[in-house]
Amino acid sequence: MNKILIVDDEQDLREMINLMMAKEGYETEMAQDGIDFLKKNDNFQPDIVTLDVMMPGLTTKDILEELKDKYNKPKIILLTVVRFSDEEKLIN
């Protein structure tokens, strides 16, 4: 497994994950949303996909449904980011 497709609507997160994976020797490709992912998946044929759970456009469920009929079925790692403002402190 050496090809990773990074799917996230936030450019900074895509680029950060891309840099980390490339540094570890993986061949990487990036997609900005579900439609972009479906286009790139067929050509790039990744072994692993990091998939943002909450993106505009296609839902995660829609994307996974589309993958069921594809020849290439990569392993999927679901990711999400929750950001808190200074006023919203996580209290233990």
Side-chain angles (χ1 to χ4, degrees):
M1 290 191 189
N2 58 5
K3 293 170 80 174
I4 298 178
L5 181 51
I6 301 149
V7 188
D8 201 301
D9 59 321
E10 294 194 38
Q11 182 177 355
D12 59 337
L13 294 174
R14 276 194 318 269
E15 291 176 358
M16 179 187 66
I17 296 168
N18 185 60
L19 286 172
M20 290 187 316
M21 295 299 107
K23 183 178 177 184
E24 293 299 320
Y26 292 97
E27 182 179 350
T28 62
E29 179 68 59
M30 296 184 286
Q32 63 187 5
D33 57 32
I35 300 282
D36 193 24
F37 160 70
L38 292 174
K39 290 178 192 174
K40 291 181 176 179
N41 181 61
D42 290 338
N43 292 330
F44 186 62
Q45 297 189 348
D47 301 300
I48 300 170
V49 172
T50 64
L51 180 61
D52 184 8
V53 174
M54 298 174 64
M55 291 185 294
L58 291 176
T59 66
T60 303
K61 182 180 177 184
D62 294 336
I63 294 167
L64 295 176
E65 283 291 320
E66 286 284 333
L67 275 178
K68 283 187 350 185
D69 298 329
K70 299 285 185 182
Y71 171 75
N72 178 44
K73 293 185 174 113
K75 304 288 185 204
I76 306 291
I77 299 172
L78 297 174
L79 299 177
T80 194
V81 173
V82 177
R83 293 187 178 157
F84 294 96
S85 68
D86 288 339
E87 294 82 34
E88 298 173 310
K89 299 287 184 182
L90 187 61
I91 300 173
N92 293 329

